[in-house]
Amino acid sequence: MTTILQIDSSARRDGSTTRALTDRISARLGGAVTRRDLAAPLPQIDEAWVGANFTPEADRSEAQKAALALSDTLIAEIEAADVLVIGVPIYNFGVPAALKLWIDQVARAGRTFRYTEAGPVGLLTGKRAVLAVASGGTALGSEIDFATGYMRHVLGFIGITDVEVVEAGRQMVDADAAQAKADAGIEALGRAAA
């Protein structure tokens, strides 16, 4: 059975477009769904976290292991998933701070990517991601959309290159058109392989 990791990053629990879209996308794809709600923000990485991450695993103290425990859990959620369904509301032209905190926890040298002489190599390969991107006025894919391209880049950096976008952009300009585009995007998604 396909395993889906659904990540919701909207600050709004009620009335959120991206939360409604991620629910619909997960249902469309089918499979077992694990949910990660970022409305209660994750902690920022700090000096202790960075120091722990750059200490070889065999040499980490108990405090260093504790500093990385949440990151280990979040990465394990990705590792266990076949498909990531990520809600990406555009706040002030970029991703919400809550989503950036998640990215900082999971983009980890030696765990989800490594550097080689040829450049960085993502370690979380063989996965698919579907982004549910919504905005009030930002045209998706435009020069002021700093969220969609960023998410594609970050996911590719950790090895997830099969990325699709379901978009509901410019809702405050034309809500009906935004909804129709999102509906068509969900309809076009193929079901996850069983």
Side-chain angles (χ1 to χ4, degrees):
M1 174 182 278
T2 299
T3 302
I4 297 169
L5 174 59
Q6 180 176 316
I7 301 163
D8 288 306
S9 65
S10 175
R12 297 173 62 194
R13 286 196 169 102
D14 294 322
S16 163
T17 298
T18 57
R19 286 175 186 273
L21 291 175
T22 56
D23 285 344
R24 289 181 56 206
I25 292 166
S26 292
R28 169 81 173 139
L29 297 176
V33 179
T34 298
R35 287 180 167 77
R36 173 60 67 175
D37 189 343
L38 303 178
L42 302 170
Q44 290 188 45
I45 61 171
D46 59 15
E47 186 174 7
W49 188 100
V50 172
N53 190 49
F54 286 101
T55 299
E57 188 172 358
D59 298 334
R60 288 182 189 142
S61 68
E62 290 305 313
Q64 288 175 317
K65 291 175 188 174
L68 295 176
L70 174 60
S71 174
D72 289 337
T73 297
L74 297 172
I75 291 169
E77 290 175 351
I78 299 171
E79 290 171 335
D82 301 304
V83 182
L84 280 67
V85 175
I86 306 174
V88 186
I90 295 180
Y91 292 174
N92 301 313
F93 314 107
V95 300
L99 185 54
K100 178 62 168 74
L101 292 171
W102 178 83
I103 290 165
D104 288 345
Q105 291 282 345
V106 302
R108 223 169 104 191
R111 263 312 290 280
T112 60
F113 70 91
R114 64 183 170 87
Y115 289 109
T116 69
E117 289 182 13
V121 174
L123 303 176
L124 299 176
T125 59
K127 299 180 185 303
R128 175 184 181 194
V130 181
L131 306 177
V133 184
S135 75
T138 300
L140 302 188
S142 72
E143 69 280 355
I144 62 170
D145 171 8
F146 298 103
T148 309
Y150 172 72
M151 287 303 299
R152 284 184 183 278
H153 178 79
V154 165
L155 291 168
F157 187 75
I158 62 174
I160 304 169
T161 57
D162 181 1
V163 180
E164 298 166 86
V165 176
V166 171
E167 65 175 83
R170 304 191 76 204
Q171 294 176 70
M172 297 184 80
V173 176
D174 189 341
D176 292 338
Q179 186 62 54
K181 191 158 195 173
D183 291 345
I186 292 171
E187 184 62 30
L189 291 173
R191 294 184 69 79

